[in-house]
Every structure is written in structure tokens, then in C-alpha cells.
Amino acid sequence: MKGIDKVAVIGAGVMGAGIAAQIANAGVAVLLFDRPSEDNEDRNKIAKDAIGKLVKSNPAALMNKRNANRITPANTEDDLKLLADCDWVVEAIIEDVAIKQTLYKKIDKFRKKGAIVSSNTSTLCREQLVADLPESFRRDFLITHFFNPPRYMRLLELVSGSEVSEEQCKLIERFCDRSLGKGVVHCKDSPGFLANRIGVFWLQCAVVEAMKQNVSIEVADAVIGRPFGIPKTGVFALLDMVGLDLMPHVLSSMSESLSPEDPFHEIYQEPELIKTLIADGYTGRKGKGGFYRLRPDSAEKVKEAIDLKTGEYTKAERPSVAIVEKAGRKNPRKVLDDDSPAGRYAWSVMSKTLAYAASLVPDVSDDIEAVDEAMQLGYNWKYGPFELLDQIGVEWFCTRLQSENTDVPAVLKSVGRGKFYRKSKGFREVFGHEGQYLKRYPNAGVLKLDDIKARSKPVLRNPSASLWDLDDDVLCLEFHSKMNSLNLWTLSMMDRAREKIETNEYKALVVYNDGTNFSVGANIGLMSVAARLWAYPFIDYMVRRGQETYKALKFAPFPVVSAPSGLALGGACELLLHSDAVQAHAETYTGLVEVGVGIIPGWGGCKEMMCRWALATDTPKGPMPPVSKVFELIGLAQVAKSAEEARDMKIIRAGDGITMNRDRVLADAKERALELVSGYHPPTAAEITLPGESGKVALDLAVEGFRKSGKATPHDVVVSAALSTILSGGDTDMTSKVSEDKLLELEREAFHALCRHPDTIERVHHMLKTGKPLRN
């Protein structure tokens, strides 16, 4: 099968530029087109400005700013001939059929034979777009609907046609999956496809019902949130993020495209309040505010919420909704079955939404799992509609619909008292719309811990960690404490894993979990409690235990591969540094952040970073440059905002792997571990040259300058002095080498001394209470 080596994106707006950025993140050259500038001699200025915005964007569209060098600006009048070198052309312009078709005719003149053309449309059907276009063009035309922002939203909806070859579809699917990191969901050619068809209905229903029932937006967001596995933004905060001015266009398009019998028309309306907000510039976060805003006449950041009845803003509250507190995160039925105003609101919104999603099967989609995946990846729902129905109880849900004289969708009647998902003989099965259960096999190159759990029991388990057999003599260590924080249970399981492999039961260890975050680091709450009780021997024990466990893993006679995704902070970052290899998801955010709470890395992080930088061949020579760099990285608690940035920080080595698709991380990590098994030899302990007292003095003088200028607090000076002692090598001199064990000893001493400092305990307590570092 041919590959995709160069891409063109036409349309340098927010979506088009974001798509171009993600293609550049994948290491692929991309042309970014827009109309020629009429007000500037540089006719590519519009596209150039878009690239400039990508470099400055927050959240960052580029995984590394240098990736912008892969994007070439162009314009649609002078440069379309450049399409002849492109394997894929993505159109991301205004949602107007006539304008799009005019562009397609121009593209067809210049594209190379067989090059795929696709539209990023979110509302228009494929048949509308290719009407009256030649058969040769139709054969290569698809819809590839990305979600905004393209780097972070994993869903890609793919719409094909009967005349498009399977090879063309597979080519795009493979590229979007493996290179762009997308979860590709195949959709039928229907209005809104899948995620927006359900998502827009859900959002509109939530707004209309809140206005009808006089429910405050704060209560609405609290109810339509955590109990259903929906992000804490809920509905109204999400609309502010999306942009209030976008919704009328989407709603209008859906109203025009959907059949008169579609239930969408029953909830479709354009409230006067929203029209007024848009007219006054309250378009959401990109404007002066939206349903929420920051009080405009206040120097302080006071968050306000709008009253849906009066249109007036008042201070936003964090309501304590009793039924939400009782239901927690795993009992949505308790919320729906409650007769309070909050419960009635939840039922009115979620019953309509779930019934609507079910009604789309099989006409809009005959794949129940695809419907769930679309809402999970496109709207960040933890559970898709059918997974939610399983939690609620399908039979209970149908009975309640019937009691209200509401039509029950056929697929709900068909499943009866059963569930849409079940496990049978070690396999995950999903209910098919024709009434039978179908086995679900992962795609090639995908290995999920959930599937391992479905067919086996853990090798070992304790309250914070488990060991799983991945087959092929590879063992997997999974964290499952709160936020996957590391504690004595976790360290114990690391030791047990090492013992299992050293007795030749297994050959390699992979550290991985399916959680949102790999690990937020060591549980500093334990340290805080111990310090307040003056239980300093316990703190010293935890530090020694962590150092010994990590050291034992580093020098174990088998390969250790860590496979992080999301946050890998503090002690988790130290684990990456002690691993033989890292197979990181591209969206890994890692760093040694301990200084942010007034302590220092204590499980070998300082030592490992010093060895990485001192022994690197691409850094300035001499003992002081690596010390200065590591002092900066740790002292400023710098966090890599992608795996690429982690590689620049040397947390991830040049030879370590980066996987774009989250679903493929575990399989790639296992493959890497097996590669290392043959002929494996543990690393040799390093010895490095450090500057000693003279280097410490230089670092301390720099920090004192920051203190005098008000950029560092007195406790910052204390922490920095502890850090400078470690990194400079203590009482060494530049004529002798410093061992890893010496650096570990310095870390222990410095960590223990800081834990006795009253300001450290105050900062740790403040961090635990507020989630933010104390700066004073």
C-alpha cells in the first residue's frame, strides 16, 4: 500500500491550521493554503500569519515549536500547482456547498492521479459535495471530520462512498490512526454524522430544558456532569468553550438537513437570550464571556454566571447538589430516579439524549460500539450512550419511557432485559442491532489492558497496584491508586514484579495503565502527615525505599519499559528516568516538579538527570554546563508538554519511542520490551565529573539575585540551596568522579533536611488543600 508523505490543507482558519499542525506533529510535510492577501505584497501572508499563531497558541497546537518548520504557506491563486506533489488534500473552508465545489474543480486540475481529497465538513453530506463532479474525482473523495482542537481531540469521523475503493479508505484510516493518533469512526453519509448528531441534540436539549424548568446554569452543569461521566464543564461551560456564535449555524444546518420526523425538531429553537448575548459580543471564552464571564469592573478574577430568566449576571456559585453527592461517579440511575428539581432536570435531558442516540441505530449507524466511541472521543464522555444505558439498566429505562407514553427505540426493545456489552469466555461482546452478540477483536497493533482483564486474573494485586500477564513472558505493572499516585504499596509491587522476573517466570516488565494519567507522582499527603507528627524516620524510610526500589529496577537483569500517557510527574518521572526504555504516548506531560511544593526529587531524579546531561554528547563540555541546565529544569519545576519536549529535556532518550495513538501504546511497549530481551545486559553505574563547592556558589549567587529582585521567596532560596548542593556534587572537586550512590546520598540528606523545615510543611499542606503552589 502506498503511503502519505506530503499533505495539503486548504483553509488556514482555526480548524485548517490545527489540522496542518497535527500533520506536522506526525513528522509529515504539509502545505497550508488560504486565499492570497490583498493588503500585503506577500500574497501568502494569511497562511503565514496562521502558522505564526500556531507557534504562540495556548494550549499549544504544535508538540514542539520547531514542527512549524514542516508547514509551508501557500495561496490558492498562485500555488495550486504544488498539489501535484501531495498524496492527500484536506479542504477546511466555509460550510457552503457551491464554494466548496468550485474549489474542488480547481483541485482536480492540479492534484496528482489517485491523490485523496477530503472535506473537514461537520454538517454537509458527502453526496451534496460531490454532486455534478466527475466520477474520477468522486472515486478519491472522502469526508474526514476532525474535532477541535485537532491535536487534542481524538475523534476522526470518516465517510466514504460506494465508488471509493477500500484501498483509499484504508490508506487514510491507517494514516489518521497511526500517524495522527486518531480514533477513526466510520460513519454513514447522514447529517451531523455521529458525534455532532447526538452531541448537538444533547446540548440544545440541556439549554432548552434549563430555561423551561428554571434551573440555574451552575446546577445544570453539576447535574449533567460527574454522575454521567461527562467532563466537569457540563453543558453551559462547554458551550462557552465552543463559542455561542457557532451554535446557531450548526442548529440551523441540522434543522434544514434532518427529516421532518426527526426528534431534533421538537427541541430546536433559538432563544432570544442567546441572540442577545451574541449581539453584545458575549460569544463565550473567545469574546467578553458567555453563560459565564469574569466580572468586567473588578480587578480580581470574579467568576459570574448568567440568570437564564433575567439575563443578569451574579457571582457564580459551586452548588452542592444533594443527589449528585449521593450518586457519586458510578450511579447515574440514582440521579435520574430522584424527584428533586435537579433529578427531574437530569431525566428530561439525559432520557431524551439516550433515547435519541438509540433511535439512530441502525439507520445512521449499525455499530453500537461506534456510537459510544464517537461520544467518548468527540465529546470526552467517559461512557458512550449505550454504556450509560447498561449502567442505568435498559429495562428500567424502557419502563420509565413507556410510563411517560414515550416511544421506545427498537434497539432498546430488542436488548430487553440484557445489556449492550457483556463478557463471555474471556471475550468482550457487544449487542448487534439484529439481535445477536458479536465478539469484538482489537485492531491489529492494539493491545488493551481491559481485554487482558476480561480473560484473566491478576498475577498479583494489592490496593495500589497489580501485575498482569501480557503473554510472551512479559509482565505488566499497573497502578490503580487515586490519581495513580505512588506509595509503599506501589513500591512493594515493583519489588514483587522484580522477584517474579528474576526467578525466570517472565523475561521483561512493562509499566503501564489505562488511566487518564500514568501517575501524578509520589503521595505527598503521606509525607505531610508524617512531618506534622514529627515522624521523620518514616519519611527517611520512604525516601530510602523509593531509591532502593528504583535502583533495583534500573540494574535488574531484565529490561524495564515504561509506557506513560498523560501526567507522569515527580516520582513517576523518576521511574521513567530509571527505565531501560520509554514508549511514550505523544501526549505525555512529564517533569520533576517537586520544587513547586517546596521539596526536591528524592527517588533518584536529581541523580539521573545529572547523569543524562553530563554524559550527553550533544551538550557543551565541562562540569558546569550540565549542572546549570539541570538546576534550571528542576529548580523551575519545568514540565514537558509533549513527549517530544520530554525528549529535548532528556527525560526521554533519543532512542525511546513515541506512539501517536493512545490505544497502541501498550502493544508498542510490549514489542519494545521483547526487542530488548535478546542479549540484554543491565546498565553500568555511571560516574560523572561535577564542579563541587565552586559550582554551588555560582548557583546560589544567581538565586540570591532573584531573591533581591523579588522573583524568589526566602524558602525558594532554601530549596535551591539544597538542590545546588546535590547537583554540584557536595564536597567534591573537579579532579575526582562522583558516583551515582554519592548523589543518592546527597538527595536523601537534602530531602530529609527540607522536610524538617516549617515552610516546607506549610507549602505541601497548601498544595494538598488548594491544588496550587504557595507563592509568598
Side-chain angles (χ1 to χ4, degrees), residues 308-325:
L308 295 174
K309 183 173 286 187
T310 66
E312 300 295 324
Y313 285 97
T314 57
K315 185 177 179 181
E317 303 293 339
R318 284 192 175 182
S320 178
V321 183
I323 189 59
V324 172
E325 300 303 320

Side-chain angles (χ1 to χ4, degrees), residues 27-236:
V28 175
V30 56
L31 298 168
L32 181 59
F33 287 81
D34 210 293
R35 65 185 187 280
S37 174
E38 298 176 358
D39 304 323
N40 195 285
E41 291 183 4
D42 185 351
R43 288 168 63 80
N44 293 336
K45 186 175 186 302
I46 295 175
K48 282 184 178 177
D49 287 349
I51 297 170
K53 289 178 181 177
L54 290 175
V55 174
K56 299 175 183 177
S57 63
N58 186 24
L62 296 163
M63 292 178 178
N64 194 302
K65 290 183 179 180
R66 63 171 172 262
N67 291 349
N69 297 330
R70 297 193 182 108
I71 309 175
T72 302
N75 74 78
T76 52
E77 284 191 11
D78 306 325
D79 303 320
L80 285 178
K81 58 183 179 292
L82 299 175
L83 297 180
D85 296 327
C86 297
D87 304 298
W88 180 22
V89 181
V90 183
E91 168 268 303
I93 65 171
I94 189 171
E95 294 284 79
D96 184 292
V97 174
I99 295 174
K100 288 179 185 288
Q101 288 186 334
T102 299
L103 174 63
Y104 298 157
K105 291 171 183 176
K106 293 179 180 178
I107 291 171
D108 203 25
K109 290 181 181 178
F110 294 99
R111 72 182 178 111
K112 68 179 178 183
K113 185 177 180 181
I116 296 169
V117 181
S118 71
S119 175
N120 183 56
T121 182
S122 61
T123 57
L124 300 173
C125 292
R126 180 181 178 278
E127 280 306 306
Q128 291 176 272
L129 297 177
V130 296
D132 302 324
L133 288 169
E135 180 71 17
S136 58
F137 182 85
R138 294 166 63 98
R139 281 199 301 268
D140 299 322
F141 185 83
L142 301 164
I143 286 175
T144 50
H145 178 216
F146 291 80
F147 277 64
N148 191 34
R151 171 181 167 182
Y152 301 98
M153 298 303 294
R154 291 185 57 206
L155 179 61
L156 183 129
E157 293 180 318
L158 180 62
V159 181
S160 183
S162 58
E163 65 272 59
V164 181
S165 71
E166 184 179 353
E167 182 183 8
Q168 293 288 64
C169 287
K170 290 290 185 185
L171 176 62
I172 286 295
E173 181 177 5
R174 180 182 175 84
F175 181 78
C176 291
D177 171 350
R178 296 177 180 269
S179 298
L180 301 187
K182 299 302 173 188
V184 180
V185 173
H186 291 264
C187 300
K188 294 184 179 180
D189 194 18
S190 59
F193 313 125
L194 269 181
N196 279 347
R197 181 75 173 268
I198 299 168
V200 170
F201 181 98
W202 165 65
L203 292 171
Q204 175 70 0
C205 185
V207 172
V208 170
E209 290 295 335
M211 290 179 167
K212 184 192 300 183
Q213 300 181 36
N214 196 25
V215 173
S216 74
I217 65 172
E218 300 105 304
V219 169
D221 282 345
V223 173
I224 309 296
R226 186 178 68 174
F228 298 97
I230 291 169
K232 63 182 180 181
T233 49
V235 173
F236 291 93

Side-chain angles (χ1 to χ4, degrees), residues 92 102 132 201 223-224 276 288 291 339 398 402 433 475 486 500 532 565 660 669 707 728:
T102 299
D132 302 324
F201 181 98
V223 173
I224 309 296
T276 302
K288 296 189 292 185
F291 292 109
D339 196 35
C398 292
Q402 289 169 336
H433 69 91
L475 196 61
L486 309 177
K500 281 277 181 187
R532 286 177 178 273
S565 179
M660 291 293 282
R707 186 194 67 78
S728 62

Side-chain angles (χ1 to χ4, degrees), residues 449-475:
L449 208 49
D450 271 351
D451 292 331
I452 301 292
K453 293 176 181 179
R455 63 175 183 263
S456 63
K457 294 181 179 180
V459 176
L460 290 172
R461 181 181 177 85
N462 69 31
S464 295
S466 295
L467 297 179
W468 296 93
D469 189 336
L470 298 183
D471 296 328
D472 301 313
D473 297 327
V474 177
L475 196 61

Side-chain angles (χ1 to χ4, degrees), residues 498-571:
R498 180 170 50 79
E499 293 165 3
K500 281 277 181 187
I501 303 175
E502 286 180 346
T503 55
N504 296 319
E505 291 185 56
Y506 297 90
K507 296 178 180 176
L509 178 67
V510 169
V511 187
Y512 170 88
N513 62 75
D514 281 332
T516 303
N517 297 310
F518 181 71
S519 170
V520 296
N523 188 336
I524 60 172
L526 293 175
M527 188 197 77
S528 176
V529 171
R532 286 177 178 273
L533 295 174
W534 293 8
Y536 297 114
F538 175 77
I539 294 175
D540 188 53
Y541 171 75
M542 273 203 70
V543 174
R544 286 180 180 274
R545 182 70 187 279
Q547 287 187 350
E548 290 167 359
T549 299
Y550 280 19
K551 180 181 176 182
L553 280 180
K554 177 178 179 178
F555 296 109
F558 57 84
V560 177
V561 178
S562 286
S565 179
L567 298 178
L569 303 177

